[in-house]
Amino acid sequence: MESKYEYEFENIKLEVESTANDSLVVKSTDFFYVCPKCGYSIASDEASKLSEYEDYRPGVARIEKNNKSHNNPFGKGKCSNTSLIRYSLHHEFKTDVAKISFECDTSDYSTMLSVMHALLNSFAHEFSIERRDIKACLTYKKTNGKMEHKIIIYDAVPGGAGHSRRLVTEDGEILKAVIKRAINLLDTCKCSPSCYRCLRSYENQKIHEILDREHALKFLKQFV
Ligand SMILES: [Zn+2]
Ligand SMILES: [Zn+2]
């Protein structure tokens, strides 16, 4: 089941597209250093373990200089291999997806990330959806040298629970209501750049500093 609608809010075109049981590849920003021999791994936020590696620098593809060897995670004693390889965590799952495209300048990553979190919060409020039941991510492509971002809102449960599809209606009224609620939420805050009342949450703590209430507000005000 697929549907796609185009609206014009204040002369700016918006498009929403929903797909049920769409396949979504989620690439985590986290990575792990994994032993190819035994499967021992260190997550990117395990600073004390990483600091045991002399050659560790943030982002390097391989680490091996450590005078301590690691233990096999399955209780089979010390592992004879020392070099660990970096892996990103990728996973693919099928769920309900709503994709929102805006025909205006969407090139600023921090603005679009802020808009994404504002819409996600407002959408959860509007339909009394548990905040952890919906998620979002940005997609981007480069067109004529300019970055274009789209917002994808999706159901957190594999298979989908039908939440994100509710955003996609023929008359666009739901999306408009969600945008208005987001504006209200942002407009009644006084923080800079953002706070727990408007854009921040425990889940997005790694990007708190780049979430910007005023930039998101300015972007969304174009549509009302
Ligand atoms: Zn090993
Ligand atoms: Zn705030």
Side-chain angles (χ1 to χ4, degrees), residues 96 123 127 129 133-134 155-157 160-167:
D96 293 344
F123 181 47
F127 285 102
I129 302 168
D133 290 346
I134 46 170
D155 289 15
V157 284
H163 298 309
S164 52
R165 267 184 291 154
R166 294 161 82 175
L167 203 55

Side-chain angles (χ1 to χ4, degrees), residues 4 39 41 46 55 60 64 66 73 76-77 94 98 110 113-114 124 135 145 149 156-157 169 176 184 212 220:
K4 188 169 174 173
S41 68
E46 292 183 284
D55 53 351
V60 291
E64 56 194 335
N66 181 2
K76 293 181 182 150
K94 286 184 186 299
S110 134
L113 210 51
S114 307
K135 289 187 170 180
H149 290 96
V157 284
T169 56
K176 196 161 221 171
N184 186 50
D212 192 304
L220 289 170

Side-chain angles (χ1 to χ4, degrees), residues 59-215:
V60 291
R62 157 198 288 265
I63 50 177
E64 56 194 335
K65 289 190 183 154
N66 181 2
N67 42 29
K68 273 204 306 204
S69 56
H70 58 258
N71 281 318
N72 178 301
F74 303 102
K76 293 181 182 150
K78 293 278 179 195
C79 177
S80 60
N81 175 52
T82 55
S83 71
L84 308 182
I85 313 291
R86 191 186 64 183
Y87 282 92
S88 287
L89 195 67
H90 255 77
H91 66 284
E92 183 186 327
F93 69 101
K94 286 184 186 299
T95 192
D96 293 344
V97 167
K99 183 158 81 181
I100 313 170
S101 326
F102 307 88
E103 254 191 26
C104 58
D105 183 2
T106 57
S107 61
D108 187 65
Y109 175 67
S110 134
T111 300
M112 295 314 292
L113 210 51
S114 307
V115 168
M116 180 188 98
H117 284 284
L119 292 179
L120 200 54
N121 289 340
S122 141
F123 181 47
H125 281 145
E126 188 76 21
F127 285 102
S128 307
I129 302 168
E130 288 274 357
R131 188 48 197 79
R132 62 167 182 273
D133 290 346
I134 46 170
K135 289 187 170 180
C137 61
L138 291 180
T139 64
Y140 64 89
K141 70 168 190 219
K142 214 167 182 176
T143 314
N144 301 324
K146 207 168 183 186
M147 287 298 255
E148 242 177 52
H149 290 96
K150 292 181 182 185
I151 294 175
I152 291 181
I153 292 181
Y154 62 94
D155 289 15
V157 284
H163 298 309
S164 52
R165 267 184 291 154
R166 294 161 82 175
L167 203 55
V168 185
T169 56
E170 198 170 351
D171 60 8
E173 287 306 314
I174 301 291
L175 180 61
K176 196 161 221 171
V178 168
I179 290 177
K180 280 186 178 161
R181 188 187 274 267
I183 289 174
N184 186 50
L185 182 74
L186 297 168
D187 221 358
T188 51
C189 217
K190 288 189 171 61
C191 64
S192 179
S194 56
C195 73
Y196 273 93
R197 185 188 166 273
C198 57
L199 291 174
R200 296 183 181 191
S201 65
Y202 176 76
E203 289 75 31
N204 65 26
Q205 55 185 324
K206 283 183 182 161
I207 52 162
H208 279 177
E209 291 308 309
I210 61 170
L211 291 175
D212 192 304
R213 181 182 65 85
E214 282 176 50
H215 287 172

